[in-house]
Amino acid sequence: MIVPRELLAQRTRTQRLFAALVSGVAGLVLFVGGIGIMNVLLMSVAERAHEIGVRRTVGATQAGIARQFFIEALAMTTAGGLLGFVLGALGARSITALAGWDTYLSWGAVGSACLVSLLTGGLAGVAPARRAAALQPVDALRHE
């Protein structure tokens, strides 16, 4: 005999397990994405060393250079976060339409996703911004 209370308890356990699994995968994806963003920005610093040297020579401060690269990291992750939101929402709508389920979009979840995206960009952008700001103008101008 199947007891409805046991079915409900099993459903709750399954939902908790699935939520933990999805959270773990999301955390791993954020970590890998942050490393990717940091690597792209570090390559950008290396490729743009001459530009950084010229800016420093004509009066740009270390804080200004660091701010530029930090803002680039935030812009990159914001664009990626918005693209991810749009693709995720479209994918969820498609799957739920095919399955015949109702779809609910939580604006709190959207806001949290945007906040996490900005946080990831901020953390990933610190090292490249510091490296760019630490370049000496003479050494940076020598770089081609």
Side-chain angles (χ1 to χ4, degrees), residues 8 11 15-16 24 26 28 32 57-58 61 69 71 78-79 94 96 107-108 114 141-142:
L8 184 60
R11 178 179 176 215
Q15 285 177 329
R16 285 184 187 155
L28 183 63
V32 171
T57 302
V58 296
T61 63
F69 280 90
I71 290 172
T78 300
S94 300
T96 56
W107 290 107
C114 291
L141 286 172
R142 262 192 243 138

Side-chain angles (χ1 to χ4, degrees), residues 58-82:
V58 296
T61 63
Q62 285 184 331
I65 300 291
R67 190 176 315 113
Q68 173 189 346
F69 280 90
F70 189 73
I71 290 172
E72 285 179 19
L74 292 178
M76 190 183 307
T77 56
T78 300
L82 290 174

Side-chain angles (χ1 to χ4, degrees), residues 29-99:
V29 167
L30 281 172
F31 180 72
V32 171
I35 290 174
I37 290 166
M38 189 182 327
N39 284 335
V40 166
L41 287 172
L42 286 172
M43 286 188 316
S44 177
V45 168
E47 291 173 357
R48 295 164 58 189
H50 189 76
E51 171 196 336
I52 294 167
V54 170
R55 285 194 60 210
R56 288 290 312 274
T57 302
V58 296
T61 63
Q62 285 184 331
I65 300 291
R67 190 176 315 113
Q68 173 189 346
F69 280 90
F70 189 73
I71 290 172
E72 285 179 19
L74 292 178
M76 190 183 307
T77 56
T78 300
L82 290 174
L83 181 64
F85 165 70
V86 169
L87 292 176
L90 289 175
R93 295 270 180 176
S94 300
I95 290 170
T96 56
L98 288 173

